[in-house]
């Protein structure tokens, strides 16, 4: 493998682990079997820094591992799909908007909002249809909205702080972190 491929794999593994740990560190139980956590901040950071392919892998696998390790294995398949979709959409929207608007913060917020809408709708659908909770799955929406908003704010602040201290890796051709 070339050095750049090794770098991509190392960063993907790092962000997978960071996503898992961020999801497991703070868990505030929600009324509808689940918890609010910091994982969405890492999902968005993975998307913005690693791009749509590697960011998607890190976000989905890291989030799924957190479900498996914290006793929510029945959510793991849904989490894998939902978090992968979140990261893919966030990365793609960020890539499209970052050069078209002045300042990357707007691109991050818009891509983050779209990703979090996917998360809220995805978990509502998964709990309601796949897990059989029906409309009572709507009880998870407020907690997921809080988690989503917190994820956008934290990821934007952490990205800004990181970009002031280190040079963000340009892992993908034409992709700025």
């Amino acid at each position: 493998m070339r050095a750049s491929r090794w770098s991509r794999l190392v960063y993907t593994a790092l962000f997978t682990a960071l996503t898992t740990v961020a999801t497991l560190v703070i868990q505030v139980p929600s009324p509808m079997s689940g918890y609010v956590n910091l994982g969405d901040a890492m999902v968005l950071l993975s998307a913005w820094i690693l791009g749509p392919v590697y960011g998607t892998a890190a976000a989905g696998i890291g989030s799924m591992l957190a479900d498996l390790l914290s006793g929510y294995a029945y959510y793991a398949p849904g989490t894998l799909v939902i978090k992968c979709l979140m990261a893919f959409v966030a990365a793609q929207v960020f890539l499209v908007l970052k050069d078209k608007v002045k300042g990357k913060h707007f691109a991050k917020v818009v891509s983050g909002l779209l990703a979090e809408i996917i998360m809220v709708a995805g978990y509502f659908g998964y709990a309601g249809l796949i897990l059989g909770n029906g409309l009572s799955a709507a009880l998870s929406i407020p907690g997921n909205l809080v988690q989503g908003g917190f994820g956008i704010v934290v990821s934007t602040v952490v990205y800004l702080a990181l970009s002031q201290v280190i040079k963000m890796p340009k892992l993908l051709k034409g992709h700025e972190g």
Side-chain angles (χ1 to χ4, degrees), residues 95-107:
L95 287 173
V96 168
L97 291 180
K98 72 178 177 65
D99 294 327
K100 293 184 180 185
V101 295
K102 210 170 198 178
K104 293 180 189 165
H105 298 304
F106 179 77

Side-chain angles (χ1 to χ4, degrees), residues 2 4 8 47-52 54 91-100 104 159 168-177:
R2 293 181 3 214
S4 64
R8 288 182 187 132
W48 297 335
I49 294 171
L50 301 178
Y54 296 97
Q92 293 289 29
V93 170
F94 176 70
L95 287 173
V96 168
L97 291 180
K98 72 178 177 65
D99 294 327
K100 293 184 180 185
K104 293 180 189 165
Y159 185 92
M168 291 297 200
K170 292 183 182 179
L171 299 174
L172 303 173
K173 186 177 181 181
H175 174 71
E176 288 183 14

Side-chain angles (χ1 to χ4, degrees), residues 52-118:
V53 175
Y54 296 97
T56 295
I61 295 168
S63 298
M64 179 190 67
L65 286 173
D67 278 354
L68 292 172
L69 293 171
S70 60
Y72 292 95
Y74 53 96
Y75 270 100
T79 293
L80 176 65
V81 172
I82 292 164
K83 299 301 181 170
C84 281
L85 189 56
M86 285 176 64
F88 184 78
V89 168
Q92 293 289 29
V93 170
F94 176 70
L95 287 173
V96 168
L97 291 180
K98 72 178 177 65
D99 294 327
K100 293 184 180 185
V101 295
K102 210 170 198 178
K104 293 180 189 165
H105 298 304
F106 179 77
K108 286 184 189 77
V109 170
V110 170
S111 66
L113 283 171
L114 290 173
E116 297 303 344
I117 289 169
I118 290 168

Side-chain angles (χ1 to χ4, degrees), residues 125-139:
Y126 186 76
L129 298 173
I130 305 299
L131 297 181
N133 294 332
L135 291 178
S136 67
L139 294 173

